[in-house]
Amino acid sequence: MLSHRNLVANLLSLAEVQPLSYRDRVLSTLPLHHALEFIGGLMVPLLAGATITYLDGINSREMLRA
């Protein structure tokens, strides 16, 4: 089980390695219940104020549309 402390540590570490700003846009492709997507695709962009785009389905047509 991941603890709150562990999630925050992962968030802060990833934010150092992959800094984002409010001007950035992130395309979310994995389900949010996946730990990597939760931290890298939701929490890091939220911390930076970046825009997050979610797909209706995972296929090339949806990715190009987004």
Side-chain angles (χ1 to χ4, degrees):
M1 178 169 29
L2 297 173
S3 67
H4 182 263
R5 179 175 288 187
N6 178 256
L7 292 173
V8 171
N10 288 340
L11 168 63
L12 297 177
S13 295
L14 188 55
E16 282 184 29
V17 175
Q18 185 63 52
L20 296 175
S21 77
Y22 67 92
R23 291 183 225 133
D24 290 313
R25 296 184 213 169
V26 176
L27 178 61
S28 180
T29 57
L30 293 173
L32 282 174
H33 66 268
H34 191 285
L36 175 63
E37 185 62 28
F38 176 70
I39 297 295
L42 176 67
M43 298 307 293
V44 171
L46 282 178
L47 180 67
T51 299
I52 307 167
T53 300
Y54 292 97
L55 300 175
D56 291 331
I58 299 177
N59 58 55
S60 57
R61 185 177 305 158
E62 284 296 313
M63 287 182 176
L64 289 172
R65 181 191 61 79

